[in-house]
Amino acid sequence: MTATRTVRIGSSHGLHARPAKLFAQAAKDSGLAVTIAKDSGKPVNAASILGVISLAIEYGDYVTLTADGDGAEGVLDTLTELLTTDHDQDAAG
């Protein structure tokens, strides 16, 4: 089963090192093939922190997530929550 979702980035400084690491680790831990693409750009492996950072994703950008395998919707639920949370606000709090 393949699931796709478009998400708006919530971290006020975008998907820089800390939130990108959290996101990539969660994608890797899912055990599924997950990709992330910015706007209509080429998808990259969501489990690759360098791939994720290379997209230069900023606050308010839209990204498309795709997960392939059993439980894909649940994986996208988890990853969506990570992307819509302002991790920079958490760090300041």
Side-chain angles (χ1 to χ4, degrees):
M1 176 186 152
T2 299
T4 302
R5 193 168 304 167
T6 300
V7 180
R8 188 168 182 251
I9 300 300
S11 264
S12 56
H13 295 292
L15 218 54
H16 58 84
R18 185 170 164 263
K21 181 181 177 188
L22 293 170
F23 172 79
Q25 188 63 52
K28 181 179 179 184
D29 291 347
S30 76
L32 299 183
V34 182
T35 62
I36 181 171
K38 181 178 171 182
D39 300 323
S40 59
K42 183 175 188 266
V44 300
N45 180 354
S48 165
I49 187 169
L50 292 177
V52 172
I53 289 174
S54 76
L55 295 176
I57 298 167
E58 300 292 334
Y59 171 78
D61 284 349
Y62 286 90
V63 296
T64 301
L65 302 175
T66 304
D68 193 19
D70 289 340
E73 285 291 342
V75 167
L76 291 187
D77 288 344
T78 300
L79 295 176
T80 295
E81 188 172 333
L82 282 170
L83 293 177
T84 57
T85 299
D86 187 350
H87 296 282
D88 298 307
Q89 182 63 39
D90 295 345

